[in-house]
Amino acid sequence: SGRDDDRGKPASLTFLNHQTGTVESSDEVPDDTAWAGRVITARFADDPDMFRALMNSCTAETFPERVGELLGMVALAFRLALGLEPAS
């Protein structure tokens, strides 16, 4: 919920597929999507250790795809928050 008294508590991680409307677990989405969701969750939960571990888990090969997925999620969140349609 983002309240200060929620800090440090584990956050549930699910993904809404905006194309199908289905809710999926981190086991049901591509690895890059799950990683990006975990990064957002770690920052939201104010968990610097998890955030650092996720950053350190990237290799030169995985970094571009993972960061690309993260930026795509952020862009989608902004579009939806502004009441715009997701980009196709």
Side-chain angles (χ1 to χ4, degrees):
S1 69
R3 296 185 319 253
D4 286 341
D5 59 345
D6 288 340
R7 290 179 189 227
K9 294 181 182 176
S12 173
L13 184 60
T14 57
F15 297 83
L16 174 63
N17 183 323
H18 71 274
Q19 294 173 332
T20 65
T22 60
V23 176
E24 302 167 337
S25 73
S26 58
D27 294 331
E28 298 173 302
V29 298
D31 289 342
D32 294 334
T33 302
W35 178 88
R38 289 183 183 109
V39 168
I40 292 169
T41 302
R43 294 304 302 146
F44 181 77
D46 196 20
D47 187 343
D49 294 333
M50 179 56 71
F51 180 78
R52 193 170 301 107
L54 288 161
M55 291 296 115
N56 290 336
S57 74
C58 288
T59 65
E61 293 79 28
T62 62
F63 187 78
E65 291 297 322
R66 288 181 173 184
V67 171
E69 182 66 23
L70 177 61
L71 293 174
M73 287 177 138
V74 171
L76 176 61
F78 274 108
R79 289 188 68 81
L80 296 174
L82 293 172
L84 302 173
E85 291 293 318
S88 53

